[in-house]
Amino acid sequence: GAGVSQTPSNKVTEKGKYVELRCDPISGHTALYWYRQSLGQGPEFLIYFQGTGAADDSGLPNDRFFAVRPEGSVSTLKIQRTERGDSAVYLCASSLGPSTTDTQYFGPGTRLTVL
Amino acid sequence: RKEVEQDPGPFNVPEGATVAFNCTYSNSASQSFFWYRQDCRKEPKLLMSVYSSGNEDGRFTAQLNRASQYISLLIRDSKLSDSATYLCVVNGGTSGTYKYIFGTGTRLKVLA
């Protein structure tokens, strides 16, 4: 079946602009996660949704970052007033449920470059 | 101290060699453990879960030592296609926490 998809695959923007990154999870997966990966580092947790609600947003670096999942499926990560330090690969993952043993499946990521 | 620590490598090994990676974690309440593989400019993909009793999948063996808080991955008879970054992942530790905590990854290069 279809895996996790993310759009766009690449996004180049200028400092100070607003961007939206989209994630389409595996059908039937109730849990959705956003991570950020910088060069040479492992992915870093940003936010986790169970259904429509953000169950854990402790990884969002500041209030310029916001994410929604209004219908419990597709999620959008929104970044306001982008900064050069926001440049990274943004990964989305989904899992069947919130169990700690459930495997998280990752999308191909969106590579964000802030000039 | 980082929550999950790995030697970043790179580990350069000849084909057919056996190579082992270790990973330590700081939260003794952590509940689930995984090894993910990540190829260059690709997303992480699950290689195997790590169970207390240890588990094996073909040439790959994973071990968990809760007392010492470390996880290991052993790759036997290395293939060129095993070249990748191996990410140690720890989940849970606090009730209701399902986020993955990743190590920085260990780079493996298998040489012909």
Side-chain angles (χ1 to χ4, degrees):
Chain A
V4 178
S5 62
Q6 292 186 245
T7 55
S9 54
N10 282 283
K11 177 71 178 177
V12 180
T13 191
E14 293 180 344
K15 181 174 178 292
K17 299 288 189 183
Y18 167 83
V19 296
E20 289 189 354
L21 312 179
R22 176 189 166 110
C23 171
D24 210 326
I26 293 172
S27 178
H29 280 193
T30 63
L32 184 146
Y33 312 78
W34 284 99
Y35 295 85
R36 177 170 71 173
Q37 187 171 25
S38 301
L39 195 63
Q41 301 297 315
E44 174 191 11
F45 170 79
L46 296 177
I47 186 169
Y48 151 60
F49 286 90
Q50 179 54 38
T52 60
D56 184 349
D57 64 358
S58 61
L60 294 177
N62 52 59
D63 61 6
R64 295 188 298 106
F65 288 74
F66 189 70
V68 295
R69 194 186 185 200
E71 297 177 358
S73 179
V74 170
S75 175
T76 304
L77 178 66
K78 309 180 180 194
I79 310 174
Q80 298 177 322
R81 304 183 303 280
T82 52
E83 300 177 357
R84 291 195 181 88
D86 298 335
S87 296
V89 176
Y90 289 81
L91 293 163
C92 176
S94 70
S95 66
L96 198 59
S99 168
T100 56
T101 57
D102 280 346
T103 299
Q104 293 184 20
Y105 297 90
F106 284 80
T110 293
R111 184 172 300 276
L112 175 65
T113 303
V114 182
L115 301 176
Chain B
R1 181 185 172 189
K2 288 184 178 178
E3 291 188 71
V4 178
E5 295 205 61
Q6 293 182 253
D7 181 342
F11 283 62
N12 296 321
V13 303
E15 265 189 295
T18 295
V19 61
F21 309 135
N22 285 333
C23 162
T24 58
Y25 61 95
S26 61
N27 189 341
S28 60
S30 298
Q31 299 170 25
S32 302
F33 310 88
F34 309 87
W35 284 101
Y36 272 70
R37 171 191 169 130
Q38 186 171 29
D39 293 289
C40 189
R41 300 179 79 87
K42 298 287 189 181
E43 71 272 26
K45 292 187 177 178
L46 179 69
L47 178 66
M48 57 200 306
S49 301
V50 187
Y51 304 120
S52 296
S53 55
N55 46 304
E56 187 174 312
D57 183 2
R59 298 180 294 107
F60 299 85
T61 300
Q63 297 277 354
L64 168 64
N65 185 319
R66 285 190 183 271
S68 301
Q69 294 179 213
Y70 80 80
I71 307 149
S72 64
L73 177 68
L74 182 78
I75 306 175
R76 289 181 299 279
D77 189 24
S78 299
K79 312 291 185 192
L80 294 175
S81 58
D82 294 335
S83 297
T85 296
Y86 291 84
L87 295 160
C88 174
V89 185
V90 173
N91 193 0
T94 303
S95 177
T97 298
Y98 305 107
K99 63 187 180 186
Y100 277 3
I101 306 297
F102 285 83
T104 56
T106 298
R107 282 180 54 208
L108 171 67
K109 187 166 186 180
V110 181
L111 307 171

